[in-house]
Amino acid sequence: MNLADPMSSVIPGVQGVILSILARTDQPLTGLTVAKLAGDRASAAGVKRAIRPLVAAGLVKLVPAGRAYLYSLNRAHVAYPKIVQLAELRNELYRRIGDAVSQWSVTPLYAGVYGSTARGQATASSDVDLLLVRPAGIAIDDPDWARQVADLSDAATDWSGNQSDVLEYDLAELCRLRDEGDPSLVSLERDSVVLYGDGIRTMLAESVH
């Protein structure tokens, strides 16, 4: 799955881009605005061509506004809830990961995603970058812990279609990175998205290490 634009994994091309943009706003948009929000994924001419069949199918509403047209998703269309769900696939993946971790017999202090996954820059070929912080007294090779991590990695791959890559620390290791001024910790604090537990900065602030 393209984690930056999940809609494109199901509806490829400019039409998927248009639906993804319109699904994320309650405001009608001009075709030019849609093209600007699409960036390098679609030109103004491409948006103009691709949006016509969506209007004809009733998925997108068109309202004249002077010399321009305003476009919005047709909320009454039977497909509308599914379109919104497709646009929110990344959040659904995040929810599933957080829910899975919350049911572990040995829960982590923190679970989240980092890297291109968290920054919204991942592609269909990108890994799902998972970050876990183990509780005190749990070694990385603890059988129960290791089994849970392996199961989560497999599940994340099944849910997304992307390979998953798990980065693990315990709190003492994070404190050492902080004390050494390791730039990798700054990146994790800035870019990671919390799916379970407290944020990294909160954990470190509360730590006595």
Side-chain angles (χ1 to χ4, degrees), residues 2-23:
N2 184 330
L3 295 170
D5 184 14
M7 183 82 73
S8 67
S9 298
V10 183
I11 306 176
V14 180
Q15 288 187 342
V17 173
I18 293 169
L19 291 173
S20 182
I21 291 170
L22 294 181

Side-chain angles (χ1 to χ4, degrees), residues 59-185:
L59 292 169
V60 172
K61 285 188 171 184
L62 178 155
V63 177
R67 298 177 61 183
Y69 294 101
L70 292 174
Y71 300 96
S72 61
L73 282 185
N74 178 6
R75 293 172 176 267
H77 200 287
V78 293
Y80 173 78
K82 303 303 181 183
I83 293 171
V84 173
Q85 287 177 353
L86 289 175
E88 295 295 323
L89 285 179
R90 182 172 58 185
N91 289 337
E92 173 63 15
L93 173 64
Y94 288 177
R95 184 193 65 77
R96 289 191 183 190
I97 294 171
D99 286 351
V101 169
S102 70
Q103 298 174 35
W104 284 7
S105 60
V106 183
T107 56
L109 299 178
Y110 171 94
V113 293
Y114 72 100
S116 62
T117 305
R119 293 192 301 271
Q121 298 172 339
T123 67
S125 61
S126 298
D127 290 346
V128 178
D129 297 316
L130 300 173
L131 174 63
L132 298 173
V133 178
R134 297 187 305 278
I138 300 297
I140 194 170
D141 57 353
D142 178 273
D144 290 336
W145 173 264
R147 174 184 51 78
Q148 293 176 150
V149 172
D151 288 346
L152 178 65
S153 180
D154 290 343
T157 296
D158 286 341
W159 291 332
S160 65
N162 304 68
Q163 293 297 312
S164 60
D165 184 43
V166 182
L167 176 64
E168 290 187 48
Y169 292 104
D170 63 22
L171 186 55
E173 290 171 327
L174 285 180
C175 289
R176 176 178 56 77
L177 293 178
R178 175 198 59 191
D179 296 342
E180 294 175 352
D182 194 307
S184 65
L185 179 60

Side-chain angles (χ1 to χ4, degrees), residues 13-62:
V14 180
Q15 288 187 342
V17 173
I18 293 169
L19 291 173
S20 182
I21 291 170
L22 294 181
R24 290 188 169 91
T25 181
D26 294 328
Q27 300 299 317
L29 303 176
T30 66
L32 183 58
T33 300
V34 172
K36 288 180 178 178
L37 293 173
D40 59 4
R41 294 177 295 167
S43 65
V47 168
K48 185 176 181 179
R49 287 192 301 270
I51 207 166
R52 289 171 184 162
L54 298 176
V55 173
L59 292 169
V60 172
K61 285 188 171 184
L62 178 155

